[in-house]
Each structure stands twice: as C-alpha cells, then as structure tokens.
C-alpha cells in the first residue's frame, strides 16, 4: 500500500459539498438583517449628535471672533451689520482690523444661515441655529442651538 486509497465496502462514501444550501443562505441573511436593524438606528442617531456638535463649535468660533471685533471697535456688530461684519468693514471704521474669520461665514450643518442678534435677549449678542427644520423651537434634531 504505497500511497493509494482503496474503497472498503463497509464504510460509506463521503460526498463533497460544493456550496451553501438555500437554508444556510437564508439564516445568514436573517442574521445580517437583525444586526443591521440593531446597529442602523444607533449609527444614524450619532450623525445627528455630530451635527449638533459642529453647530456648537461654529457658534464658539463666532463668539471668539466677535470678542476680538469688540476689543478693536469697542462694540459688537449691530443686528443689521450681522456676522458679515467679521469679514468686511461695515462702516469704514479705521479701528477695524479684520477679517476676524479665516473663511467665509459658514451655514449651519443643515444648510441654514445662522441668525445673529445684537443685543440678544439675555446677552450682548445671540447667535442661533434653528436646527434641522430651520424653524424656531423644536425638539431633538429640530431644537434650537444658541450661545
């Protein structure tokens, strides 16, 4: 017996499997579906949280630029001058030493412009993003974000 295999009638022959059965494929598809239904909502809720974090970071950047503007000119921009006063000298004031922002004024993460009011309700100025829906008020992703 030098390396050859012989068939013995007492042992059943083994059949080679060359693929997956339909039942095995269905089980895998069901498992993937269950995982996707569990992970999907958690993933998409994180996207909403990141947009809120971006809006808060942009508002913080506006606050720093507005503070620098106030140090130079002795006042915050008026509501009419708006955040554009951080990029262009609105009243040809010789004390203006901007631009105070490196890039143009960004839109909020949902594509809406920020609302700037000076004076604000309780502060010297207020910067507001109306959230995903772009309308005042709301909850969740539609909630207002302000300084």
């Amino acid at each position: 017996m030098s390396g050859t295999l012989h068939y013995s009638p007492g042992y059943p022959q083994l059949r080679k499997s060359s693929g997956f059965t339909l039942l095995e494929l269905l089980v895998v598809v069901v498992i993937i579906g269950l995982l996707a239904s569990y992970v999907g909502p958690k993933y998409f809720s994180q996207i909403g949280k990141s947009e809120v974090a971006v809006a808060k970071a942009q508002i913080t950047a506006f606050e720093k630029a507005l503070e620098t503007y106030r140090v130079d000119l002795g006042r915050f921009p008026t509501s009419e001058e708006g955040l554009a006063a951080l990029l262009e000298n609105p009243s040809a004031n010789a004390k203006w030493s901007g631009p105070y922002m490196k890039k143009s004024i960004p839109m909020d993460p949902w594509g809406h412009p920020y609302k700037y009011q000076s004076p604000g309700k309780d502060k010297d100025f207020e910067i507001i993003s109306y959230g995903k829906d772009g309308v005042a008020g709301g909850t969740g992703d539609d909630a207002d974000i302000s300084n």
Side-chain angles (χ1 to χ4, degrees):
M1 293 203 181
S2 59
T4 60
L5 294 175
H6 297 283
Y7 173 72
S8 296
Y11 296 105
Q13 284 186 336
L14 297 175
R15 185 177 59 144
K16 279 192 164 185
S17 176
S18 61
F20 297 105
T21 66
L22 181 59
L23 182 61
E24 291 170 328
L25 289 174
L26 287 173
V27 168
V28 169
V29 168
V30 167
I31 291 171
I32 290 172
L34 289 171
L35 288 172
S37 68
Y38 177 73
V39 173
K42 291 183 182 269
Y43 173 74
F44 288 113
S45 72
Q46 293 299 320
I47 291 175
K49 289 179 184 176
S50 66
E51 289 171 332
V52 170
V54 167
K56 288 180 179 179
Q58 287 176 334
I59 289 173
T60 299
F62 290 141
E63 288 176 323
K64 291 176 182 175
L66 288 164
E67 285 296 333
T68 305
Y69 181 98
R70 185 191 59 79
V71 167
D72 288 349
L73 275 74
R75 64 173 181 85
F76 291 108
T78 64
S79 295
E80 292 77 29
E81 293 170 337
L83 295 173
L86 299 172
L87 296 173
E88 298 176 10
N89 191 348
S91 56
N93 193 322
K95 294 180 181 180
W96 191 86
S97 61
Y100 298 95
M101 304 271 305
K102 291 182 180 181
K103 298 179 181 179
S104 63
I105 304 298
M107 300 292 242
D108 72 8
W110 300 278
H112 306 291
Y114 285 96
K115 184 173 182 180
Y116 171 78
Q117 294 176 336
S118 179
K121 293 177 185 173
D122 302 324
K123 306 169 188 140
D124 292 326
F125 62 88
E126 193 168 14
I127 304 167
I128 306 166
S129 167
Y130 287 134
K132 188 175 184 176
D133 63 355
V135 179
T139 59
D141 287 347
D142 296 335
D144 299 347
I145 303 164
S146 67
N147 60 325

